[in-house]
Amino acid sequence: HKCVAKVKKYLKPFLLSQEKLQEISARLKKNMIQGLGKHTHHKAPVKMLPTFVRATPDGTEKGDFLALDLGGTNFRVLYVRVMEEEQKVLKMDSQICAIPQDIMRGTGEQLFDHIAACLADFLDSQNLKGQTLPLGFTFSFPCEQIEIDKSILIHWTKGFSCSEVEGKDVVKLLRDAIHRRADYDIGSVAMVNDTVGTMMSCGYKDQSCEIGMIIGTGTNACYMEEMKNVKRVEGEDGRMCINTEWGGFGDDGSLEDIQTQFDVVVDKTSINPGIHIFEKMISGMYLGEIVRLLLVKLTEDKLLFKGKTSEALLTPGRFETRFISEIEEQDRGLKNCQNILTELGLKWDSVDVRLVRLVCDTVSIRSAHLCAAALATIVNRIRENRGLDYLKTTVGVDGTVYRKHPNFSDKLQAMVHRLAPNCSITFLVSEDGSGKGAAMVTAVAQRQALSHLLEDSDSDRKEDEEEDK
Ligand code: BGC
């Protein structure tokens, strides 16, 4: 018992009260406004990037599309056929290509050649090489979007660090790579962040879905903002989907009060120190490492494993985030914990097992609560934007942490409910947002381009008529 009390002291900085979360939400709100502002954007840590997606699906979308999905450890290519009548995806074939570490950290040209080669293999296998299909590119990194088909990478996150890509138009890099091969071509391209794909794929099913959220390797959310508040894009009418890039919250030092010594180490030893501080307290790429650092410290201070560490425990990255989910499983958690500790070469007793579980619990609850604070900021904003006393809305969600952890979603939902009491939120787990969602964005973009064209030719015709008079 003495031991438990001592360990709890180490865990205390991870416990965030509801008041603290409210304060964090208020800070994020300020940051979001700063990110949207014309003259404040350049120094805003939360980038609030316009996506040029102005509408969610209306159910009339149809056609054949290719989709690419780059954002985690794997790269996927998909062929998606969307049918109008049944409002559903008729067919979806896909292929996964691994992205080896040396390509994740190599040159941009190597990366895009690899992508173009995977796409070529896939088109061959589907007999599609002769066609020029429109393509939705789910590229899950912060990009300054100039148009739906022009998107400049601001910086890499989540373990990628290819040279010569930051500051460049990703669509051009892709097209150049395809043209270098010269054995096939692609049609129009729509660039999609995974949050946007998630929102759009859920929006096809539930038209009140106007938020997309990812809690996986990285974390982020997007939502439909009023155009009049999107100061960096011309026009006052309607809405546009904004990719918040909330992972960057804290990059100006504003979260120092809640960062623990372990968060500081995780950031300093990452390949992008100082970038995506909020993400590093929340997402799958980092949670395991936070737990590992805590366990190392508790062992050093003789509160675990009788003070005897192991080589595995001392190795960065060896405590995987999926272990946390396994250890927190309701029935098999303690057994899983024993197996994991044994595999890490540690000699444990029953108190150690319980303490390790407590550490995992604490770290994952903090993550869920921080996400809740951020999501509450968004739903409260949408409600205020529309002058409503009460908002009913739907969030499309995806990501391994949200999907796989046994009680993450419950903890998150309970806290959002407390932080946004005037909102009722339906959570929809997205079915393949980065495939289907990317196709949806491409389809909506085509529908809108077409209606613009028609409007233009309409006004041309009117002008002609005027002149004729
Ligand atoms: C990226 C976002 C992305 C998120 C989830 C973050 O690291 O910056 O663009 O949406 O990860 O994949």
Side-chain angles (χ1 to χ4, degrees):
H1 279 299
K2 252 204 244 147
C3 218
V4 176
K6 278 193 189 148
V7 169
K8 281 194 172 159
K9 260 198 197 150
Y10 287 74
L11 298 178
K12 207 161 165 230
F14 286 87
L15 306 178
L16 303 172
S17 65
Q18 191 174 324
E19 290 67 47
K20 194 70 193 181
L21 293 170
Q22 258 152 355
E23 195 189 312
I24 290 165
S25 171
R27 249 180 253 171
L28 178 59
K29 182 183 174 183
K30 273 198 194 139
N31 278 204
M32 283 169 58
I33 294 169
Q34 193 187 7
L36 287 171
K38 209 171 190 160
H39 306 293
T40 45
H41 171 84
H42 67 282
K43 52 176 202 280
V46 179
K47 295 253 153 23
M48 304 297 281
L49 303 165
T51 64
F52 293 84
V53 170
R54 296 169 193 268
T56 48
D58 66 0
T60 65
E61 290 71 24
K62 62 169 182 234
D64 292 6
F65 306 93
L66 291 173
L68 302 183
D69 175 16
L70 181 75
T73 35
N74 285 320
F75 165 70
R76 282 192 322 154
V77 200
L78 304 99
Y79 175 48
V80 191
R81 304 193 79 171
V82 185
M83 243 190 2
E84 181 183 17
E85 299 77 36
E86 299 179 21
Q87 298 218 339
K88 68 175 185 203
V89 171
L90 182 69
K91 183 178 160 193
M92 197 151 92
D93 289 304
S94 68
Q95 181 181 308
I96 294 185
C97 304
I99 305 254
Q101 277 265 333
D102 57 315
I103 291 203
M104 279 170 80
R105 310 205 174 160
T107 69
E109 199 167 291
Q110 280 168 334
L111 174 70
F112 283 92
D113 281 343
H114 183 68
I115 291 174
C118 295
L119 183 52
D121 275 351
F122 180 70
L123 293 176
D124 266 335
S125 73
Q126 302 280 323
N127 259 324
L128 288 171
K129 247 190 183 159
Q131 296 189 38
T132 330
L133 292 168
L135 180 144
F137 190 0
T138 305
F139 185 74
S140 309
F141 301 94
C143 287
E144 185 69 66
Q145 208 143 337
I146 311 294
E147 259 309 328
I148 192 82
D149 62 351
K150 187 159 191 211
S151 195
I152 297 182
L153 176 66
I154 299 174
H155 49 62
W156 289 113
T157 59
K158 297 178 289 193
F160 277 77
S161 64
C162 305
S163 58
E164 303 285 316
V165 186
E166 291 181 343
K168 300 231 164 100
D169 174 14
V170 178
V171 178
K172 182 167 188 303
L173 295 178
L174 175 69
R175 279 199 196 279
D176 288 352
I178 291 172
H179 292 158
R180 274 198 291 279
R181 304 175 50 93
D183 56 343
Y184 67 93
D185 208 352
I186 50 170
S188 62
V189 174
M191 285 296 288
V192 190
N193 186 264
D194 52 354
T195 55
V196 183
T198 299
M199 177 185 83
M200 296 293 265
S201 73
C202 291
Y204 199 61
K205 258 210 290 210
D206 173 346
Q207 280 167 25
S208 58
C209 181
E210 44 196 350
I211 303 173
M213 176 171 79
I214 304 281
I215 311 166
T217 309
T219 184
N220 189 15
C222 69
Y223 71 102
M224 296 305 289
E225 174 62 91
E226 307 303 314
M227 267 306 284
K228 64 174 192 306
N229 297 330
V230 185
K231 304 276 198 273
R232 296 196 306 136
V233 179
E234 258 178 67
E236 298 275 302
D237 302 331
R239 296 183 180 141
M240 182 178 279
C241 179
I242 294 296
N243 167 14
T244 65
E245 289 294 338
W246 74 23
F249 186 24
D251 290 5
D252 58 352
S254 71
L255 292 176
E256 269 163 15
D257 59 332
I258 61 163
Q259 264 190 306
T260 66
Q261 52 172 305
F262 308 100
D263 298 307
V264 172
V265 174
V266 164
D267 176 46
K268 282 218 171 105
T269 54
S270 68
I271 64 165
N272 54 352
I275 289 176
H276 276 213
I277 296 297
F278 192 57
E279 173 161 284
K280 287 172 182 162
M281 302 171 85
I282 289 176
S283 74
M285 177 135 186
Y286 311 99
L287 288 185
E289 188 62 7
I290 299 176
V291 168
R292 188 188 70 82
L293 291 170
L294 262 160
L295 298 183
V296 168
K297 177 77 182 153
L298 290 169
T299 310
E300 270 171 16
D301 293 357
K302 307 215 162 28
L303 293 166
L304 277 178
F305 317 123
K306 302 198 168 61
K308 274 197 73 181
T309 186
S310 72
E311 209 184 299
L313 188 66
L314 292 175
T315 310
R318 271 303 299 276
F319 195 98
E320 295 174 40
T321 297
R322 73 180 164 88
F323 295 169
I324 301 178
S325 297
E326 289 166 14
I327 289 171
E328 289 191 60
E329 261 178 43
Q330 188 131 62
D331 301 326
R332 306 194 30 215
L334 289 176
K335 187 86 206 114
N336 290 342
C337 188
Q338 295 171 359
N339 292 339
I340 288 165
L341 295 179
T342 303
E343 244 166 66
L344 291 174
L346 295 159
K347 289 220 167 60
W348 47 267
D349 64 23
S350 63
V351 180
D352 291 326
V353 172
R354 282 175 194 282
L355 287 175
V356 169
R357 197 175 186 183
L358 180 67
V359 170
C360 290
D361 244 348
T362 309
V363 171
S364 63
I365 288 182
R366 182 185 67 157
S367 161
H369 284 175
L370 286 173
C371 281
L375 182 59
T377 316
I378 291 183
V379 290
N380 283 327
R381 177 166 178 88
I382 296 180
R383 186 178 62 74
E384 283 166 20
N385 271 346
R386 300 188 191 163
L388 299 171
D389 293 331
Y390 197 82
L391 174 77
K392 228 176 116 34
T393 191
T394 299
V395 185
V397 200
D398 206 351
T400 42
V401 174
Y402 187 89
R403 278 174 181 277
K404 299 268 166 72
H405 187 282
N407 50 33
F408 191 93
S409 58
D410 290 345
K411 299 274 186 238
L412 179 134
Q413 291 180 22
M415 187 50 84
V416 179
H417 192 66
R418 287 157 71 181
L419 296 171
N422 299 323
C423 303
S424 131
I425 310 166
T426 306
F427 289 81
L428 257 187
V429 173
S430 120
E431 284 165 53
D432 207 336
S434 17
K436 205 162 80 181
M440 283 312 145
V441 177
T442 318
V444 171
Q446 284 188 332
R447 165 160 63 81
Q448 292 198 318
L450 198 67
S451 69
H452 271 141
L453 259 166
L454 291 176
E455 267 169 33
D456 285 351
S457 67
D458 212 35
S459 62
D460 282 353
R461 187 174 46 79
K462 278 193 189 132
E463 272 168 28
D464 287 351
E465 281 172 7
E466 302 268 285
E467 276 170 24
D468 282 350
K469 277 184 207 159

